[in-house]
Amino acid sequence: MSGSALFPASRLEDAAERVRTGGLDALLLTPGPDLRYVTGYDAKQLERLTCLVIPARGEPVLVVPRLELAAAQASPASGLGLEMIAWEETEDPYALIARRLGPVGVAGLADQMWALMVLRLRDAMPGARQVLASSALRDLRMRKSPAEVGALREAGAAIDRVHARVPGWLKAGRTEREVGTLIAEAILAEGHTQVDFVIVGSGSNAASPHHEVSDRVLRPGDAVVVDIGGMMPSGYRSDCTRTYAIGEPPAGFLAYYQVLKDAQEAAYRAVRPGVRAEAIDAAAREPITRAGYGAAFIHRTGHGIGLESHEDPYIVAGNAEPLSPGMAFSIEPGIYPGPNGARIEDIVVCTDEGGERLNNAARDLILADG
Amino acid sequence: MSGSALFPASRLEDAAERVRTGGLDALLLTPGPDLRYVTGYDAKQLERLTCLVIPARGEPVLVVPRLELAAAQASPASGLGLEMIAWEETEDPYALIARRLGPVGVAGLADQMWALMVLRLRDAMPGARQVLASSALRDLRMRKSPAEVGALREAGAAIDRVHARVPGWLKAGRTEREVGTLIAEAILAEGHTQVDFVIVGSGSNAASPHHEVSDRVLRPGDAVVVDIGGMMPSGYRSDCTRTYAIGEPPAGFLAYYQVLKDAQEAAYRAVRPGVRAEAIDAAAREPITRAGYGAAFIHRTGHGIGLESHEDPYIVAGNAEPLSPGMAFSIEPGIYPGPNGARIEDIVVCTDEGGERLNNAARDLILADG
């Protein structure tokens, strides 16, 4: 067994332990973040079944289409001392897994497994109750190892370098789409292997949190929300928002921008082990509400991040999950009163004493010359 | 109602009709190809539920997170006269759908719906038997409209233009990865919005059908399998394989390359309405087996293509589906005897009289100077 610091070989045993303590009989992981977390294997999601089978007792096995065997063997999964079974084009891999497992009472399925596979596994194992793999893997995946925090720190530094270049691109006369294309190229140039999202919301589009880009032309006086992220070669993700203004900011904007900045800071300062996720949301919401902008903060405060852009823990009212060291999540309050809006977002990791920000670009309103 | 030639507003009614005739009570489509096919809406797959609900009787509704409402309204779905319901961050959208539908006996789920949503819908509607949406939509999606064939034709022409540039990049001394990067850039430059896959299999890697790229350095005498595809702005996909040789091809290679070319041609000529999918596979396999290379043709002959790179109909032994006009699929026999291999792939559409190839680059072995 070998593995790496990021994907240690011990993960497979850790997962098996969670299968047992979680009352599952087997965990079934198709390509996606759960499989990558446990094995390091960044398998392709195809209609042909690839599935890591981790029984509560007995040896795990990776079931792969014959055509993917070479790729699986060339992946980090090959260092785990894991049996691989290749199935042929005319075989039924679902029946193969059912035979291999024998009677199963409860089966945990990768959260992103396709319905195509969920329902075929249900039919192949009619006695098994299907639950989500996150019921077993959630606690493991939420608490990042030092190597994972290192990977997120690298991702944060990479996206900070992109933000550092953004003011030079925010020119009156350019469209959001043109700026977005430059940003997408920079996300790759600064070390990501994939662009996950590029939001350039200018003027009234700044008031729409999940706006992406449009053909709107930037104008002097615009506020511009730039929310960007990508995937690093490690598989770990970046996500950071800064708000810019082209020349003189719009009337009234500076007042609520300062409220937002204070709220983001307050939420960050509230991070420490034992504090509930919902308390971080409340810490961001309180100063915004107090200043009269509560109705203009229309989304949760944040989401976990790791091998997925959005994962547990969610920083939202109703989530009583206590923070613990290694948890990584966004703190991204926004105020969208119209006709413009603003958001500030950092990725923060809970440490033994408090929180560490992984994004360190200035949080002041950034004035672009335009 | 409006819609477009590619995504006509009538699709929604066609889908509802299939829900009724297929014995379903409702179709539940989360982001992915099924939702895009029915509405044209290229929604993001997120942990927050977006779901088109098409009941057998009554009006369809698009349930979206509040944050995605603006995007949904800006999408082609807004032209369909479709009610949209936005749910708030602290609401339960699964319960909302269950209340809206009332008692459901059989629910069809998008084939690529995440297990996360499958199991929550199961829990919200415990009386419903879950089946795949393809049980209702498969026949519709398999038979491409003239507009869809037009979109696939454009995709085919775009990837043909990339292949036309490949010989200039196959230089001895370059790595597969370097060539792959040039190809990926060209896939975008020639009109795709996304690179789906880039396989550059040289030398012994040509014998591994799903090899992607490696740091292997190209050498004079290499055979190189180049299998590439991407997504066009329409959402429709390209996929085309040609085999190249750098300078003089390896010993024995020309003999089986000719067999392969004849097999690909024979399978193409077998395409016409009423012929079974498995008969196309057999038509490709027969000349290869007769020439003694049967054991070296280790995969099915092809797969359907449309909004997905791989979809129904699959051209494989055991698939008795009769072809009908509008069906689009790859014909891609390969011979991998080692120490090298070859594959030739075109997308073919079944017409009223026979087949139309959507890839038209020469199928002869293409000699690169190196």
Side-chain angles (χ1 to χ4, degrees), chain A residues 47 68 113 115 130 210 300, chain B residues 47 68 113 115 210 300:
Chain A
E47 76 286 2
E68 303 301 321
M113 184 185 288
Q130 295 181 326
H210 271 203
R300 65 191 178 200
Chain B
E47 76 286 1
E68 303 301 321
M113 182 185 288
H210 271 203
R300 64 192 178 199

Side-chain angles (χ1 to χ4, degrees), chain B residues 21-76:
Chain B
T21 57
L24 308 188
D25 297 296
L27 202 56
L28 300 168
L29 304 184
T30 45
D34 289 319
L35 177 63
R36 190 163 188 183
Y37 179 79
V38 173
T39 65
Y41 181 25
D42 182 23
K44 277 196 183 179
Q45 175 64 282
L46 297 168
E47 76 286 1
R48 293 182 177 103
L49 183 73
T50 288
C51 187
L52 174 65
V53 179
I54 307 178
R57 276 162 197 87
E59 292 302 313
V61 59
L62 183 63
V63 175
V64 294
R66 167 71 61 194
L67 287 181
E68 303 301 321
L69 181 61
Q73 287 170 335
S75 84

Side-chain angles (χ1 to χ4, degrees), chain A residues 1-340:
Chain A
M1 299 218 292
S2 58
S4 66
L6 205 51
F7 300 107
S10 57
R11 283 273 172 77
L12 204 47
E13 183 42 44
D14 292 345
E17 178 63 26
R18 298 296 170 136
V19 170
R20 287 187 289 272
T21 57
L24 309 189
D25 296 296
L27 202 55
L28 300 169
L29 304 184
T30 44
D34 290 320
L35 177 63
R36 191 165 189 181
Y37 179 78
V38 174
T39 65
Y41 181 25
D42 183 23
K44 277 195 183 180
Q45 177 62 283
L46 297 168
E47 76 286 2
R48 292 182 178 103
L49 182 72
T50 288
C51 187
L52 174 65
V53 179
I54 307 179
R57 277 162 195 88
E59 293 302 313
V61 59
L62 184 63
V63 175
V64 295
R66 166 71 60 192
L67 286 180
E68 303 301 321
L69 182 60
Q73 287 170 335
S75 85
S78 69
L80 305 179
L82 183 63
E83 183 187 358
M84 296 190 189
I85 298 181
W87 57 274
E88 307 291 338
E89 290 283 61
T90 50
E91 269 187 287
D92 177 354
Y94 301 93
L96 187 162
I97 290 174
R99 278 196 310 273
R100 169 103 184 182
L101 281 174
V104 170
V106 185
L109 311 184
D111 288 41
Q112 294 186 9
M113 184 185 288
W114 285 355
L116 181 68
M117 283 110 193
V118 174
L119 299 187
R120 286 184 183 164
L121 285 168
R122 179 198 65 189
D123 293 346
M125 299 188 281
R129 188 164 64 86
Q130 295 181 326
V131 301
L132 293 175
S134 50
S135 65
L137 296 181
R138 184 175 183 274
D139 281 353
L140 274 179
R141 283 191 53 191
M142 269 199 303
R143 292 176 179 77
K144 269 68 182 176
S145 69
E148 288 182 279
V149 172
L152 286 168
R153 203 179 279 122
E154 276 183 24
I159 207 73
D160 281 358
R161 291 193 297 273
V162 179
H163 267 297
R165 297 169 64 184
V166 167
W169 296 326
L170 292 174
K171 301 286 179 200
R174 277 200 181 142
T175 65
E176 293 175 357
R177 198 179 306 280
E178 287 164 353
V179 174
T181 299
L182 293 167
I183 290 175
E185 289 169 0
I187 288 174
L188 299 177
E190 295 295 351
H192 300 80
T193 57
Q194 179 181 297
V195 178
D196 286 333
F197 50 87
V198 174
I199 294 175
V200 181
S202 68
S204 61
N205 292 332
S208 175
H210 271 203
H211 173 78
E212 297 182 0
V213 294
S214 77
D215 293 317
R216 185 182 181 282
V217 175
L218 304 186
R219 292 196 293 255
D222 278 349
V224 188
V225 172
V226 176
D227 185 350
I228 55 182
M231 183 177 73
M232 299 291 283
S234 62
Y236 284 77
R237 312 280 174 152
S238 67
D239 185 358
C240 181
T241 309
R242 290 294 180 266
T243 298
Y244 301 84
I246 299 184
E248 200 59 30
F253 185 85
L254 286 179
Y256 76 76
Y257 189 86
Q258 187 59 46
V259 171
L260 178 66
K261 184 162 172 273
D262 293 345
Q264 207 267 355
E265 178 74 17
Y268 163 66
R269 294 201 172 276
V271 173
R272 61 181 179 279
V275 172
R276 292 174 171 197
E278 62 189 355
I280 306 302
D281 182 78
R285 211 164 291 277
E286 192 277 330
I288 291 174
T289 303
R290 187 156 30 89
Y293 294 103
F297 178 13
I298 56 176
H299 53 70
R300 65 191 178 200
T301 292
H303 53 80
I305 189 167
L307 288 168
E308 295 176 77
S309 296
H310 290 184
E311 58 179 52
D312 286 315
Y314 291 96
I315 310 300
V316 61
N319 184 5
E321 179 82 40
L323 298 184
S324 66
M327 286 186 181
F329 46 85
S330 68
I331 294 187
E332 50 175 313
I335 300 181
Y336 314 96
N340 43 46

Side-chain angles (χ1 to χ4, degrees), chain B residues 268-269 271-273 348-356:
Chain B
Y268 163 65
R269 294 199 172 276
V271 173
R272 61 181 179 280
V348 174
V349 180
C350 183
T351 65
D352 289 340
E353 302 87 30
E356 175 192 349

Side-chain angles (χ1 to χ4, degrees), chain B residues 328-339:
Chain B
F329 46 84
S330 68
I331 295 186
E332 50 174 314
I335 300 181
Y336 314 97

